[in-house]
C-alpha cells in the first residue's frame, strides 16, 4: 500500500546528531503499518468465511492490533496533540475532532474485543461469529481510513516542524509500531520485527 500524497515529502530529515525530525512523516508510516495489519486481519477472517481453516492466531493477532492502535491514539491524545495545541493554537478544533474520532474507534475496538472473547471461548466458532467480527473490522477500517486521511492532511506539516527534546531519545508512543514485548510481524517501512 502506498502512502497517500498529501503534499508532504516522505524524506525523513535528520538533525546533525542523526535524530529523526519529521514526526509527521513517521506518523504516515505508522498509519501505513496499521492499515496493513488491519488488511491482514480482514484477509484471515475472509479466508475462514470462504471455507478455509480458522487461523490459530487470529484472536491473538486481533487483540495485539487493538492494543497497538489504542496505544497509538492514547499517545496522540496525551502527547502529540497537547504539544500541537500549544505550538499551533489554530489546530485546536482539528485536534478536538481527531480526539472525537479516537472515541469512536475505541467504541469499535471494545465491540471487537468482546466478539473476539467469544471466538476464544468457542472450540470451532461458526460463520456467524466470524461474520460479526468481519463486520466490526469493516467498520473499523472505514473509521480509520477517514480518520487517517484527515489527520495526515491537517497535522503532518505541523508535526514535521516540531523539534521536541523529550522525543529525541526514543520514539513517543504514537510513533511505535510494536507492542511492548510483542510484535505483530511487520514494522513501518515493510521490515520484519525484531
Amino acid at each position: 500500500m502506498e502512502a497517500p500524497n498529501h503534499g508532504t515529502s516522505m524524506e525523513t530529515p535528520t538533525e546533525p546528531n542523526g535524530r529523526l525530525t519529521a514526526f509527521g512523516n513517521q506518523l504516515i508510516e505508522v498509519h501505513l503499518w496499521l492499515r496493513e495489519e488491519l488488511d491482514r486481519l480482514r484477509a484471515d477472517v475472509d479466508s475462514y468465511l470462504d471455507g478455509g481453516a480458522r487461523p490459530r492466531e487470529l484472536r491473538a493477532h486481533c487483540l495485539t492490533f487493538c492494543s497497538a492502535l489504542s496505544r497509538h491514539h492514547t499517545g496522540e491524545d496525551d502527547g502529540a496533540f497537547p504539544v500541537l495545541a500549544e505550538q499551533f493554537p489554530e489546530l485546536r478544533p482539528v485536534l478536538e475532532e481527531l480526539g472525537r474520532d479516537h472515541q469512536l474507534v475505541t467504541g469499535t475496538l471494545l465491540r471487537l474485543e468482546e466478539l473476539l472473547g467469544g471466538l476464544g471461548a468457542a472450540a470451532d466458532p461458526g460463520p456467524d461469529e466470524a461474520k460479526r467480527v468481519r463486520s466490526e473490522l469493516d467498520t473499523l477500517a472505514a473509521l480509520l481510513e477517514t480518520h487517517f486521511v484527515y489527520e495526515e492532511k491537517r497535522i503532518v506539516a505541523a508535526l514535521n516542524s516540531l523539534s521536541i527534546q523529550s522525543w529525541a531519545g526514543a520514539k513517543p508512543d504514537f510513533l511505535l509500531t510494536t507492542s511492548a514485548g510483542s510484535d505483530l510481524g511487520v514494522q513501518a517501512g515493510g521490515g520484519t520485527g525484531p
Side-chain angles (χ1 to χ4, degrees):
M1 178 177 278
E2 292 186 29
N5 182 355
H6 302 302
T8 302
S9 168
M10 286 300 292
E11 293 180 23
T12 304
T14 59
E15 291 184 346
N17 66 3
R19 184 183 69 78
L20 297 175
T21 58
F23 299 117
N25 291 358
Q26 293 177 64
L27 177 73
I28 291 171
E29 291 176 10
V30 171
H31 287 174
L32 285 171
W33 175 78
L34 288 166
R35 285 176 175 114
E36 289 168 359
E37 289 301 318
L38 185 53
D39 286 347
R40 284 183 40 202
L41 288 170
R42 293 167 80 195
D44 285 348
V45 173
D46 286 347
S47 174
Y48 175 70
L49 287 172
D50 290 339
R54 178 177 167 246
R56 284 188 329 173
E57 302 301 322
L58 175 62
R59 183 174 180 271
H61 188 188
C62 247
L63 293 174
T64 302
F65 171 80
C66 291
S67 175
L69 181 59
S70 293
R71 185 198 54 237
H72 169 70
H73 283 164
T74 300
E76 287 178 332
D77 292 338
D78 296 345
F81 290 177
V83 170
L84 287 170
E86 181 180 316
Q87 293 193 24
F88 301 95
E90 68 278 10
L91 287 178
R92 286 185 179 141
V94 170
L95 300 171
E96 290 169 5
E97 180 66 26
L98 292 170
R100 285 189 293 273
D101 285 356
H102 291 173
Q103 293 172 357
L104 291 172
V105 169
T106 296
T108 302
L109 291 177
L110 290 172
R111 287 188 303 277
L112 185 57
E113 289 174 4
E114 186 177 308
L115 287 170
L116 291 169
L119 283 182
D124 187 19
D128 289 342
E129 291 87 356
K131 285 178 184 174
R132 286 193 287 275
V133 169
R134 176 63 163 138
S135 177
E136 285 302 324
L137 289 173
D138 289 345
T139 298
L140 182 60
L143 282 170
L144 287 179
E145 189 57 30
T146 57
H147 172 74
F148 289 164
V149 168
Y150 179 70
E151 187 171 68
E152 290 164 6
K153 284 182 178 179
R154 299 304 304 265
I155 70 170
V156 164
L159 280 170
N160 280 344
S161 73
L162 294 177
S163 179
I164 307 295
Q165 199 61 32
S166 63
W167 296 353
K171 285 185 178 184
D173 282 349
F174 78 99
L175 295 177
L176 297 176
T177 57
T178 58
S179 298
S182 70
D183 180 14
L184 291 179
V186 178
Q187 292 186 353
T192 57

